Every structure is written in C-alpha cells, then in structure tokens.
Amino acid sequence: MSDNKPQTVYRKDYQKPDYQVDEVDLDFDIHDDITHVTSVMNIHSEHDRSGNVKPLVLDGDELNLVSLKINGKTLKPEDYILDDKFLTIPNPPEKFKLEVKTDVKQKENTQLQGLYDSDGIICTKCETEGFRRITFFPDRPDVMAKYTTTIRADKEKLPVMLSNGNFKEEGELEDGRHYSKWVDPHPKPSYLFAVVAGKLDHVKDNFKTMSGKDVSLNIYCEKGKGDKCDYAMDSLKRSMKWDEEKFGREYDLDIFNIVAVSKFNSGACENKSLNVFNDALVLANPETATDANYKKIESVVGHEYFHNWTGNRVTIKQWHDLSLKEGFTVYRDQEFSSDERSRAVQRIQDVSDLRAGQFPEDAGPSAHPIRPDSYISVRNIYTGTVYEKGAEVIRMQERLLGKEKFRKGTDLYFKRHDGKAITCDDFVKAMEDANSVDLAQFKRWYSQAGTPDVTAKGKYDAKTKTYELTLSQKTPATPDQPIKKDFVIPVEVGLLDKNGKDMPLDIEGKTSKVLKLTKSTQTFKFENVEEPPVLSANRGFTAPVNMNIEYSDKEYAHLMAHDSDLFNRWDAGQQYATKNMLQMVKDIQKGKEPKPDESYIKAIGSYLKDDKLDKEFVAEAMVLPSEKYIADQMDVIDVDAIHKARGVMQKAISVELKDELLASYEKNQTLGEYSYDTESMGKRGVKNTSLAYLSKNDEPKLQKMMVNQYYSAKNMTDRDSAIRFVVNSDSPKRKEILDDFYNRYKDESLVVDKWLSMQAVAPRADTLDKVKELMNHEGFAMDNPNKVRSLIGAFSAGNPVCFHAKDGSGYEFLADQMIKLDKINPQVAAKMLTPLSRWKKLDPERQELMKKQLTRIINDPELSSNSYEVVSKSLAMAKDDKVKGFAKDGDVKGFVSGNKGTGELAHSNEKIGKISIVKQAKQKSNMADLIPRRKMGR
Ligand code: PHE
Ligand code: ZN
C-alpha cells in the first residue's frame, strides 16, 4: 500500500531515470462525459540489467486504468502493482512497446489540472504534474519523448481539435465524428504536452522567419470573442522578431497556436507550439481592457513564446532547476518589454513587483534560494524568488559580462544544450566557457537565500579632491542558512554635482560605473572630484539588494530632481516618501498630528510641470509607496496607522498641488481614437493619477470630475480609473455608477472581474458584507479561478484595512471560503491562503485571531495536501518561535484524533487522512509559507 504522506524531494537525491520513453502515440477519443485515452509508448531501459532489472514505475493521479499491454500482450492484474500514485511493472523487457488505456472524466475535473472542461472547451494543463492525470507516464522533465497525437470527437460539438507539433491530417469518422492528427518532431517532457478541442473563434496571421520559413500563427478563443485577439497576435509577431534579433532564436515548426480559455489556474502555459492561456491575458479591446492589461498581454505572450527556446528546446533536469527556464524567460520578457517601451519605466515596474512579492518572501520563514534544495509540493516552488529574483540573477550576469559577452554565453548555451534536460550549473558554465571567466563566487546567488543589505558610505576630501566610497554587504540569516558567504554584487554608481549634473568618473569622461563588490567591505576611490558629490548608487537596480544610504531630505530632493538615471530618480522619491510616512505612522501612534513633508510634495509638483519628462515615468513617480511596502519596512505592522498616514499624505498632495493637478489633468487628455503607444499610455497615466489625487479633495467641483470622466470615458482605462476613485469615495453617485458599470458590461466576463475586485478592495466599513453578498451574485462562480481571485483574492491580498479588521472577521471569512474552495480546486485555495499565514509581523491580538483560523482549517479532515502544507508550515513557525497560545504538537494530534476520520488514507493524492497529518506535524518545515506567485504567466 502506498504511503500518502507528502515527501520532501531533495535536489541532491536526483537519480537519472531507469527507463526512457522514445516515442508516444496518444489517442484521445472524446465523448460528452468521458474521454478514452490510449497511449502507446516505445520504452527502453537505461540501467545496467546484468545484476538486477529495475521495475518500471509510472506516475498516475486519480486515473482509471482500463487495460495494459506489453508488446501486444495484455497484462494480468498479478503482472503489475497499482496504487493511488504509481503503476509499477516489476520486470519489464529491455526494449518494448507499452500500451495503456485510461478513462478520464474531464467534466468532473474541478482542479483544472490534467484534462478538463473550461466552459465547453476541452483542454489540458500538464505543468507541473498534470500529465499523470491523463495517463500513466514517467512524469518528470528529464524524460523527453516524441509525441504523435490523434484526437477524435463529435464534429459539431468540438469542431476545432489541436495538439502539439505540426498538423498532419484530418478526416471524417462515423456517427458525425471526426479526427485530427498532430506530429511533434521535437522531443519534449510530458509537462509540455497539450490537447484542445472546442467550438472556437479564431484569428490568423503568419510570420516569415529569419531563414525565410513561413509559420502560420493562430489565436483561438471562445465563440464571439475573436475580435479581441488582435493585440495578442501583434505581440506574438513582435516577440518572434525580437527573439531572432536579440538572441538569434528562430521558430522551429510550421505552426504556432495560442488558445485562450476562461478557466485556468495560472496565467498561461508554454506547451510546445500550443500555448494555453488564461483568457484575461489574451483578450483585449479598448472598451474592455486597460493600458495595464495591454502591457501584461504583451509581456506574457512574449514570455510564453520565449519559452520555446528557454524551457522547451533546452529544458530542466529536475524541478529544483525551475529557475533555469523561468528566471531566464522572465529576464527575456522584461528585456522585450524594455525594448518595445520605456526601459526605465519597465525597470521601475519590475523592481516594484520584486519588492512587493519577492523581498518579503526572502525575509520570511519561506526564504529559499532561486534554486531550492528541496520541496514538498512542487507547485510551491513557483515563487517570486524562482521567477523574479531568478531574472535578476541572469541580469547581473549580463551586467558583469557586458551585452556582447553575455550573448556569446547564450549562443554557446543554446548550441551546447539543444534537445537536452539540464541544470542551472550548465547555464553558468556556458557563460564561463564562452568568455573564459570564473563565476564560482557569483554562483552563490543560486544557493543562498535572503536579500543582501548593502551599505554605502562616502567620504569627500576637499584637499585631495578624492571621494572614497565604502560599500559593505551583509545578508541576514534565513531558515537553514544561518551564515552567509559574500556575494558578488554589481553596483552601478554615479556622482552628482551641486547643479545635479553627472560628474566624470574617469579620464574618458564616463559618468556611470559598475563597481564589483565581492568582499564584506570594500573601498573604491574616485579622483579629481571637484566638489562634494551626491551619490547615486545601484543605478537601474543593478543588484537585487536593499541599499542603505543615509540621505538628508535635501539630498533626496536633489536626486529626485536631477538624477540622470531615471530609475534612481524614481527610487529617491519612493525612499523619501517612505521615510516620511514611517515618521507619520510614529506620530499617529503617539497621538500626534502627522505631518507630510513639504519638499517631497514640491518635488512631485515639479514633475507635473516638467514637459520634457517621460509621461509614463511621471505617472509612476506620482504614486506613493503602497501600504504593503510601508508595512514591510516596519517591525510590527500597524495597518490602520499606515492607512491613515498614506491618506493624509494623499490629501496634502491633492490640496497643495491642486492647480498643478488640474492643469496636468487638462493637458494630458488623449483625444481621438484609443492608441496603446507609450506616449498615449503615459498621458493617460498622468491624467488618471492626477484625477486620483483630485478625488481625495472634498471640493464638490473636484468630486464631480471623476463622475464626469466615468460617464464620458471613451476607453476602459479612463472608465476603470474613474469608477475606482468613485468606489473608494463616499460619493452619492457610488451606487448608481456601480450599477451602471455592471449593466454595461455584464456580458463581458473579464470586465465583471474588474467590477468584483474594485468593490473588494474598497477600504470601507461595509466592504466585507458587500463581498459576502457578491458571492451569491450571478457574476461570481466559485469554480472559476479568475472570479475567485477577483473577489476573495482581491479582498484578502489587496485590502489590508478590511482584511485585518480588529474583530478578525476578515480572517474568518477567508478561512470559511478556503475550506470550501479546497474541495473544488486545492491549488488555487493553497495559494490564496498566503495572507492568512503571514501573521508574524502583526500585533499579538491579530496574531491570535489568525492562528485561530489556521487551526480551524487544519482541523478539516478532508484538507488537501496543498493547503495543508501552507497552513502547517505557518503554524510550525509559531511553534519554533514559542509564540504563546499556539497549538503545540500534541494539540495538532488532538485535533486530528478528535475528528470523525477512520484512520484510513483518502484515495486521491490531493487528500490526506489523519495518519499523514500526524506524521507531517512532526516534520519541521524549512520552507514555510511559500507563496506560489507569478506576476502572470505562472
Ligand atoms: N510555466 C508557466 C509560465 O511561467 C507557468 C505555469 C506554472 C503554468 C504552473 C502551469 C503550471 O509561463
Ligand atoms: Zn514561464
């Protein structure tokens, strides 16, 4: 009998597969309620069989085995062992044909992993371990086979049928059925397999590759939505061109398909030549999508396309190396967007994401290196660390080597590893070998967790006209890694004179320099420095570190006004505002009047008046650091004081800069047809951020502006901004406008999602009641992840004031809903539990309230292993910390044995019974509270 306890999988335990699959011939016979799957595999043994023959172990999850044949001969039940995780054939031949028939009920699959039905479209999601929910297979990335797929279905109900590779043939069958056959010549891991069948709308185009081959491009979506696929198509073509120009990567098949579905657990998946997308990342037109939606579509379409080389042609050996494909591909999509749009603004947005999502992870109990040494649930390593920090680690190699050498490294990488499953070490080795450099110390970025603190101290000597800059690094301890070795940290610096001009740093007159910090402390000397400079450090965010520099308010303002590095100009404003708001929080706590800083407000005012500045930059620079960011800078978070401080600051800006805001609102109108070029997006950004501030001003005339913009808006960007300000205000028009919005867009599911989330994030006393009411609204559905994320997810992750309500009602609500959702879609439930598991920096009362809910959840005898992992690790952290009041080991056992459980293990491997809970409770977690997070795509 199998042991259902989720096991820790260690990177060091890697063993190469005992059997390889060379070819797979799959047949999907799709019927209304059931799909008969036949898989014929050519398998050969890869181990030394002279001593003993190893068993063939195939993965399977919730599968119904119909028959099993080796070389045409049916196996009898005594010839194999079947349990709820594996199909084991003890003594197979050296080389053989294995035929497996399984039945899959796609409509009953609410987990949306494997083969499922998304509102009538039959589709698959195999990454990470979904293929084993379709058929028995060695479901690991280093088993790479060539796939042929035949799909059969009713012609009327499912007219379009797609799979990976090139289209081979199609034809009619009896009883109104038809078939379609696909051949993928490139060996691939099972996680890249896909099948789609449905009634679909379709846009098509084509692309000529750099060697002159024609590729047919198609984007499919639900019926009636075909008019919203043009931007995704445009993004796809630009991605293909960009990859040829920047990385020399050409597409390798006759066809490339994207399918957009409405029910999808993540953002998108890069299945070979058949990318499946959450339709929120494909569908757009000016009436339904905002500028932010357009940008995201471009970057995710690019991301998934770029995976064709970084992930598919060159793939990973084991999941621990996930960052090999994800970090590199995020780097590539960020570079793509930077080349297509404003590089500085892209950098600002990417770093904001990194700071919001990854820094807290790196500072918490779930800290793990970009290449984790172990995991329990593989889905839990889809984190900001693996993705976004992974991208920074690639970018640092580019910065250290320079663009040309970096390209030499990637060329060698692709040449050397094409068609193989490899590791992160192989990537760095290619960089080293192509350029004859030694990156041994740099590689610590792959193995050490934690965000380094880098301190910069400057000393100017007027006599010798030298400036000495001392940089030191220190990385805080993380779970299981108490002592950190020094990293290699590239820090780009510049020096500003009193007029804000960059000073020359060498005889050639260069004004920026990448310093290489390799020790715990190093001093760098600059000569011929004519006057005391203001330091601009970590320009463009060269390294993913926390920079500590003690600036005076005057120096902050100087950098905000003059730094030639736009990223650092923005960051000076962010740090300045944060410093100010943290002081305001302290004042509020002491019962004093909080006082916004005048010179910060003035600096924002001069951005508004500066016509030469990039508009998108101005829009970013006007936005105050988020409540969450401010909270991350505090030892004990005071949600209410932060909210209040930020509100006071917004109000001060709205009052003091009223004239500038009004002028900028007028000046940045975009008349005429909607266009998504950078300039227009920038104008809309500045205009709407100006309106956001004006909406904080109580003057009736200003209050009317947002209402007017709502009704007169010609595109979703303007309408969505306006309604959000109304919804966050006490405007008497609030209800009228919310109703109007719903009635206009009730047939646009993705716009209804916006409507749900704007109500969920409103910091109002009645928000939770409203959210509860919306759970019964026709626009909500618990079995659709987009709906759940838009309502429940937005409330718990995007509304700190209401979620952390003092009476614990927010926590209780999330627990109630996740206990329900866990039965439907455990993957999504587990991810959404994250806000509840992060109690550590809250006040003792709230900590208790959160832990009470966590305890309730863990008491659910039917809890999935996904959710169990998140909750148990969070509670284990309390135990480690000896926080009083926490359920001790014995308590956990007590809860479990008090349950109705019979002591037997549940059958699905998503479920765990009482025995495994007791066992797991003893397991000390080293990666507690993992958040599988992805800006999108993941
Ligand atoms: N590999 C996908 C991406 O990054 C994300 C994904 C994660 C898809 C998990 C499916 C499952 O683009
Ligand atoms: Zn990816």
Side-chain angles (χ1 to χ4, degrees):
M1 132 149 220
S2 82
D3 185 354
N4 234 338
K5 185 184 108 183
Q7 307 246 302
T8 303
V9 186
Y10 294 96
R11 188 171 70 89
K12 62 172 169 43
D13 289 347
Y14 174 81
Q15 281 188 344
K16 72 182 201 53
D18 295 325
Y19 292 87
Q20 272 289 351
V21 183
D22 303 304
E23 275 130 31
V24 193
D25 197 334
L26 284 163
D27 185 287
F28 284 74
D29 187 16
I30 306 177
H31 295 268
D32 284 352
D33 295 313
I34 200 160
T35 298
H36 308 295
V37 181
T38 305
S39 162
V40 180
M41 295 166 266
N42 287 332
I43 301 179
H44 74 267
S45 165
E46 290 250 308
H47 63 282
D48 173 18
R49 300 164 64 96
S50 51
N52 67 329
V53 173
K54 293 198 180 156
L56 170 71
V57 183
L58 304 176
D59 301 292
D61 178 10
E62 293 192 324
L63 281 176
N64 189 354
L65 179 65
V66 176
S67 70
L68 197 59
K69 283 183 191 165
I70 285 189
N71 294 332
K73 209 175 139 244
T74 304
L75 296 195
K76 290 191 243 67
E78 58 269 29
D79 299 333
Y80 59 88
I81 304 155
L82 180 63
D83 60 38
D84 58 359
K85 274 188 169 170
F86 306 109
L87 170 63
T88 307
I89 300 171
N91 199 357
E94 181 152 16
K95 214 169 170 203
F96 58 103
K97 213 178 240 337
L98 179 68
E99 185 196 283
V100 186
K101 284 186 190 271
T102 48
D103 280 348
V104 179
K105 293 186 174 164
Q106 64 272 9
K107 277 197 181 132
E108 289 176 16
N109 183 357
T110 60
Q111 293 187 23
L112 315 185
Q113 182 76 7
L115 184 77
Y116 68 96
D117 180 325
S118 166
D119 293 329
I121 300 176
I122 312 302
C123 64
T124 53
K125 181 174 187 269
C126 290
E127 187 178 2
T128 312
E129 293 173 340
F131 194 68
R132 64 185 65 181
R133 294 168 59 80
I134 298 172
T135 187
F136 290 97
F137 198 80
D139 194 11
R140 44 187 283 176
D142 57 353
V143 172
M144 296 171 80
K146 289 187 182 169
Y147 287 67
T148 301
T149 311
T150 308
I151 313 158
R152 293 183 280 150
D154 185 280
K155 193 169 181 181
E156 195 149 309
K157 288 181 190 152
L158 303 173
V160 180
M161 301 188 293
L162 310 164
S163 190
N164 317 94
N166 291 323
F167 170 72
K168 184 75 190 296
E169 61 184 63
E170 65 187 348
E172 309 281 323
L173 298 167
E174 281 173 13
D175 299 334
R177 294 172 67 78
H178 66 154
Y179 78 95
S180 155
K181 188 169 177 180
W182 296 78
V183 180
D184 185 357
H186 299 286
K188 64 167 176 286
S190 48
Y191 82 86
L192 292 173
F193 173 79
V195 134
V196 173
K199 255 194 196 125
L200 304 169
D201 260 359
H202 167 211
V203 295
K204 55 173 171 222
D205 209 323
N206 44 63
F207 182 82
K208 205 184 243 341
T209 70
M210 59 196 204
S211 71
K213 280 180 286 174
D214 278 312
V215 183
S216 133
L217 310 178
N218 308 277
I219 300 186
Y220 294 90
C221 61
E222 284 175 9
K223 275 275 170 228
K225 299 179 178 172
D227 60 334
K228 296 197 185 75
C229 297
D230 294 343
Y231 188 68
M233 182 61 90
D234 178 62
S235 304
L236 174 61
K237 288 196 290 182
R238 285 185 285 119
S239 305
M240 295 177 86
K241 185 116 196 82
W242 184 87
D243 212 11
E244 293 185 343
E245 284 169 1
K246 295 289 156 145
F247 282 92
R249 299 296 103 204
E250 187 176 8
Y251 187 62
D252 54 4
L253 287 165
D254 306 338
I255 188 166
F256 187 87
N257 291 323
I258 287 177
V259 180
V261 298
S262 55
K263 283 188 186 168
F264 204 67
N265 278 358
S266 58
C269 198
E270 70 264 24
N271 324 300
K272 183 77 186 188
S273 72
L274 179 53
N275 289 183
V276 177
F277 271 63
N278 186 325
D279 63 4
L281 294 162
V282 172
L283 304 177
N285 70 22
E287 284 74 50
T288 59
T290 62
D291 290 347
N293 295 145
Y294 274 90
K295 275 197 180 177
K296 192 111 282 179
I297 289 168
E298 175 179 279
S299 91
V300 181
V301 168
H303 181 98
E304 305 309 333
Y305 174 74
F306 301 142
H307 267 314
N308 190 52
W309 275 96
T310 49
N312 302 5
R313 288 287 287 253
V314 181
T315 196
I316 55 176
K317 197 149 103 177
Q318 50 178 340
W319 290 110
H320 305 84
D321 284 295
L322 183 63
S323 199
L324 176 76
K325 75 176 179 83
E326 295 305 344
F328 193 11
T329 305
V330 171
Y331 165 80
R332 277 150 56 74
D333 84 53
Q334 293 175 346
E335 284 300 299
F336 168 59
S337 296
S338 303
D339 285 343
E340 297 290 299
R341 304 179 169 278
S342 152
R343 182 163 283 271
V345 170
Q346 183 67 32
R347 198 67 191 126
I348 288 168
Q349 290 167 347
D350 291 338
V351 173
S352 301
D353 281 354
L354 185 80
R355 283 177 174 162
Q358 198 275 326
F359 277 25
E361 188 169 270
D362 234 353
S366 65
H368 54 282
I370 65 165
R371 181 190 57 203
D373 289 319
S374 68
Y375 58 78
I376 293 177
S377 162
V378 63
R379 293 171 201 118
N380 283 346
I381 66 171
Y382 285 76
T383 61
T385 300
V386 167
Y387 273 72
E388 274 80 31
K389 187 174 180 181
E392 296 303 324
V393 172
I394 302 292
R395 179 170 288 103
M396 282 191 285
Q397 295 178 63
E398 182 230 283
R399 293 310 305 263
L400 287 164
L401 293 167
K403 278 213 171 354
E404 252 168 59
K405 289 186 173 172
F406 180 74
R407 172 66 194 269
K408 263 173 81 184
T410 60
D411 284 351
L412 177 63
Y413 172 80
F414 291 122
K415 198 169 129 205
R416 197 183 257 181
H417 300 297
D418 188 11
K420 300 204 181 98
I422 58 156
T423 68
C424 294
D425 288 333
D426 296 314
F427 180 89
V428 181
K429 185 92 176 48
M431 286 292 147
E432 293 183 320
D433 292 353
N435 298 298
S436 310
V437 290
D438 177 359
L439 294 170
Q441 188 188 345
F442 180 84
K443 277 174 73 177
R444 289 178 187 158
W445 283 105
Y446 286 89
S447 56
Q448 291 193 135
T451 307
D453 283 311
V454 175
T455 304
K457 279 205 174 95
K459 211 171 85 195
Y460 181 69
D461 185 344
K463 252 192 262 146
T464 54
K465 297 206 167 23
T466 51
Y467 178 73
E468 275 185 5
L469 178 62
T470 301
L471 297 178
S472 21
Q473 60 169 303
K474 191 163 172 33
T475 304
T478 53
D480 290 344
Q481 291 186 336
I483 294 160
K484 306 285 181 180
K485 294 189 175 144
D486 291 329
F487 285 102
V488 175
I489 303 180
V491 182
E492 184 177 330
V493 298
L495 301 177
L496 273 65
D497 70 15
K498 60 176 178 299
N499 299 316
K501 284 246 155 6
D502 271 332
M503 302 163 102
L505 301 183
D506 54 23
I507 19 179
E508 287 151 40
K510 276 221 192 103
T511 56
S512 241
K513 203 169 182 167
V514 179
L515 307 176
K516 208 167 118 185
L517 175 63
T518 58
K519 305 200 183 94
S520 56
T521 297
Q522 263 166 283
T523 299
F524 302 86
K525 210 168 176 180
F526 298 87
E527 279 162 0
N528 304 317
V529 180
E530 293 300 325
E531 56 178 276
V534 176
L535 172 70
S536 167
N538 209 20
R539 283 187 155 174
F541 207 68
T542 8
V545 301
N546 277 311
M547 280 305 294
N548 304 315
I549 307 174
E550 260 182 49
Y551 285 122
S552 65
D553 289 357
K554 238 174 109 186
E555 286 170 320
Y556 273 133
H558 193 67
L559 290 165
M560 275 182 83
H562 304 292
D563 201 327
S564 63
D565 183 79
L566 270 190
F567 173 83
N568 266 14
R569 243 179 123 171
W570 167 81
D571 204 26
Q574 294 292 297
Q575 301 314 321
Y576 190 8
T578 302
K579 180 180 156 194
N580 189 201
M581 284 190 282
L582 287 172
Q583 183 57 48
M584 288 164 72
V585 166
K586 276 193 196 141
D587 290 342
I588 291 167
Q589 288 171 333
K590 284 190 209 132
K592 284 204 278 185
E593 199 55 42
K595 242 179 81 275
D597 190 301
E598 291 305 318
S599 74
Y600 172 76
I601 297 176
K602 266 208 197 100
I604 297 295
S606 36
Y607 284 161
L608 284 171
K609 283 183 281 196
D610 187 341
D611 282 334
K612 288 194 291 294
L613 269 176
D614 176 344
K615 296 283 180 210
E616 273 194 300
F617 167 81
V618 176
E620 289 294 338
M622 287 168 74
V623 181
L624 296 173
S626 69
E627 289 178 26
K628 195 171 169 297
Y629 183 76
I630 302 166
D632 288 340
Q633 317 308 313
M634 296 178 68
D635 292 332
V636 181
I637 298 169
D638 186 338
V639 198
D640 302 308
I642 294 171
H643 182 66
K644 185 161 181 210
R646 198 166 178 273
V648 171
M649 184 75 135
Q650 286 173 328
K651 179 114 192 211
I653 293 175
S654 82
V655 172
E656 283 169 48
L657 298 179
K658 186 179 119 185
D659 296 338
E660 288 87 344
L661 290 164
L662 277 169
S664 120
Y665 184 77
E666 291 312 326
K667 206 166 53 186
N668 289 296
Q669 294 292 332
T670 45
L671 305 167
E673 217 174 296
Y674 174 87
S675 152
Y676 47 70
D677 63 277
T678 320
E679 159 98 13
S680 311
M681 279 195 184
K683 279 186 156 186
R684 281 190 292 273
V686 174
K687 177 188 71 184
N688 288 324
T689 314
S690 300
L691 184 63
Y693 280 116
L694 291 167
S695 76
K696 302 281 171 197
N697 193 313
D698 303 327
E699 275 183 48
K701 187 184 96 201
L702 302 178
Q703 287 289 310
K704 258 200 205 129
M705 284 174 66
M706 50 184 172
V707 174
N708 290 346
Q709 175 167 319
Y710 172 80
Y711 282 110
S712 64
K714 300 264 182 316
N715 58 63
M716 182 51 77
T717 307
D718 289 345
R719 179 159 287 140
D720 179 76
S721 301
I723 188 174
R724 280 173 195 269
F725 310 147
V726 174
V727 171
N728 287 345
S729 77
D730 290 318
S731 162
K733 298 266 184 194
R734 192 174 183 273
K735 185 172 181 317
E736 173 195 309
I737 286 182
L738 272 169
D739 291 346
D740 177 84
F741 190 88
Y742 183 73
N743 289 326
R744 276 178 203 248
Y745 300 111
K746 59 172 178 289
D747 297 328
E748 299 281 354
S749 178
L750 296 170
V751 185
V752 171
D753 292 350
K754 295 183 196 305
W755 183 77
L756 293 171
S757 76
M758 66 180 72
Q759 298 181 75
V761 300
R764 293 162 55 94
D766 62 354
T767 293
L768 181 55
D769 288 338
K770 189 72 207 176
V771 170
K772 287 180 181 165
E773 190 190 312
L774 288 170
M775 302 251 336
N776 299 315
H777 193 276
E778 58 174 8
F780 179 82
M782 199 69 158
D783 64 357
N784 182 323
N786 284 358
K787 304 283 164 203
V788 174
R789 285 186 283 248
S790 298
L791 188 63
I792 307 172
F795 174 79
S796 48
N799 191 339
V801 176
C802 296
F803 177 63
H804 295 288
K806 260 211 140 71
D807 61 357
S809 53
Y811 308 151
E812 188 180 1
F813 168 73
L814 183 60
D816 286 347
Q817 300 316 320
M818 290 309 108
I819 288 172
K820 270 191 253 163
L821 182 63
D822 191 61
K823 311 288 170 294
I824 300 168
N825 190 329
Q827 264 193 50
V828 173
K831 284 185 195 185
M832 290 188 39
L833 279 168
T834 306
L836 200 51
S837 67
R838 295 201 155 169
W839 45 266
K840 200 167 178 190
K841 283 170 88 188
L842 291 160
D843 54 74
E845 290 81 37
R846 285 184 171 98
Q847 290 198 2
E848 285 313 308
L849 289 166
M850 275 201 179
K851 279 182 270 167
K852 192 172 131 198
Q853 297 306 326
L854 291 170
T855 308
R856 240 186 88 209
I857 297 171
I858 212 163
N859 256 332
D860 176 0
E862 301 267 281
L863 195 68
S864 72
S865 52
N866 308 58
S867 294
Y868 180 84
E869 185 177 6
V870 176
V871 177
S872 65
K873 285 180 168 176
S874 176
L875 287 174
M877 185 173 79
K879 191 172 59 175
D880 291 347
D881 282 7
K882 299 198 179 50
V883 173
K884 73 169 174 33
F886 163 67
K888 280 164 225 69
D889 202 23
D891 296 343
V892 176
K893 275 185 205 148
F895 300 143
V896 176
S897 51
N899 283 328
K900 63 172 164 54
T902 56
E904 58 185 37
L905 297 173
H907 292 294
S908 131
N909 80 359
E910 291 294 331
K911 305 285 179 221
I912 43 170
K914 87 174 198 186
I915 295 173
S916 45
I917 291 187
V918 176
K919 281 188 191 159
Q920 288 168 45
K922 290 186 182 152
Q923 230 164 39
K924 204 184 142 202
S925 76
N926 58 352
M927 294 209 333
D929 169 35
L930 282 175
I931 10 146
R933 174 191 174 274
R934 197 321 186 188
K935 70 176 187 197
M936 255 344 201
R938 66 206 66 168

